Amino acid sequence: MADARPMPESRLAVGGLVPFTTIDFPGRLAAVVFCQGCPWRCTYCHNPHLLPPHDGDRSWADVIAWLATRRGLLDGVVFSGGEPLLQRGLAAALTEVRALGFATGLHTAGIYPERFAAVLPLLDWVGFDVKAPFGDYARVVGCDGGGPARNALRLLLASGVAHQVRCTVPPEMDAETLARLRTELRDMGVAALEIQACRPLDSLARVG
Ligand code: SF4
C-alpha cells in the first residue's frame, strides 16, 4: 500500500473545489470539495494529482468561508477525492457544513470502515465506489483492500443513509468478473449497481 499517513486531526486538506455541480450529488445543487490524498493506486484513477497526502492547495478555512456566501444558492456539499476518509478532519468539516444548512455527501471507496462508521451519521448521501469482486481488489487498487471495502459497504447498507453503489469498469475487467461482482453485491443486499465509463486518457500508470 502507498503512503497512508492520516491527515492531522483538526484539518481538512483540500486539493480542489468545484463551485457548482448538478451531477455529483443526486438531487442537489452542490459544490464539490476534493480531499487531498489516497492510499490506493487504481489503474484508471482520474485524479492522480490528488493522491499524495500533502496539505492541499487551499485552506479549509477559506472553503468554509466561501460556502457561507453560497447559502441560498447551493443546497449541498459533497466531499470527494482522493479518499476523504483518509483525513481525520472530515467529521468536523461535515459538522461545519451542516451548520451552514447544507446537505452533506461523500464519495468514498470505503478504505477505512471505522472512520466511515464515525461519519455516517453526518451524511445525507454516499456515492460508494466498488472496484472489483472483493477478492480481486489487489489487481485494481494495488493492495488487498477488498476486506475493508466490504465491511464499509455493509455499514452503509445497514445505516439507512441514501446511497448509490457504482463501479468504474476498467478495460481489463471481463464480463465474467463483472457478473461475479454483481452477484456478490446482490447477495449483500445492494439494490442496484451503477456502471461508470472509464476515462483511460487520464489514468495512472501502475504504481508498485
Ligand atoms: S480511483 Fe482509486 S486511487 Fe484514485 S482516488 Fe479513487 S480510490 Fe484512490
Side-chain angles (χ1 to χ4, degrees), residues 37-109:
C38 180
W40 288 357
R41 294 294 181 269
C42 299
T43 51
Y44 53 78
C45 183
H46 55 277
N47 287 327
H49 60 289
L50 291 173
L51 300 185
H54 57 67
D55 285 345
D57 65 357
R58 66 182 70 201
S59 76
W60 171 246
D62 286 349
V63 173
I64 198 73
W66 174 80
L67 284 170
T69 72
R70 299 292 95 186
R71 281 180 288 190
L73 301 172
L74 300 174
D75 54 13
V77 178
V78 60
F79 291 81
S80 189
E83 173 50 69
L85 295 175
L86 181 64
Q87 302 192 45
R88 304 263 188 199
L90 180 62
L94 289 167
T95 301
E96 287 182 81
V97 165
R98 276 195 161 175
L100 289 176
F102 297 114
T104 52
L106 179 72
H107 296 171
T108 182

Side-chain angles (χ1 to χ4, degrees), residues 1 40 109-111 134 137-138 141-150:
M1 180 180 287
W40 288 357
I111 298 178
F134 294 107
Y137 261 51
V141 311
C143 65
D144 185 16
R150 177 162 37 202

Side-chain angles (χ1 to χ4, degrees), residues 159-174:
S159 72
V161 174
H163 59 268
Q164 179 187 63
V165 178
R166 62 264 187 103
C167 179
T168 300
V169 177
E172 61 270 24
M173 185 184 288
D174 59 26

Side-chain angles (χ1 to χ4, degrees), residues 107-196:
H107 296 171
T108 182
I111 298 178
Y112 302 104
E114 290 180 9
R115 296 182 202 171
F116 188 42
V119 299
L120 269 169
L122 300 170
L123 292 168
D124 296 296
W125 177 81
V126 174
F128 192 98
D129 296 309
V130 293
K131 304 295 185 180
F134 294 107
D136 294 2
Y137 261 51
R139 268 185 276 170
V140 178
V141 311
C143 65
D144 185 16
R150 177 162 37 202
N151 290 340
L153 181 55
R154 285 189 180 124
L155 289 167
L156 175 61
L157 295 171
S159 72
V161 174
H163 59 268
Q164 179 187 63
V165 178
R166 62 264 187 103
C167 179
T168 300
V169 177
E172 61 270 24
M173 185 184 288
D174 59 26
E176 181 276 328
T177 304
L178 184 56
R180 201 154 38 89
L181 173 60
R182 288 186 185 281
T183 300
E184 280 189 13
L185 295 177
R186 190 181 58 235
D187 290 349
M188 289 179 71
V190 173
L193 174 65
E194 182 81 14
I195 298 297
Q196 298 184 324

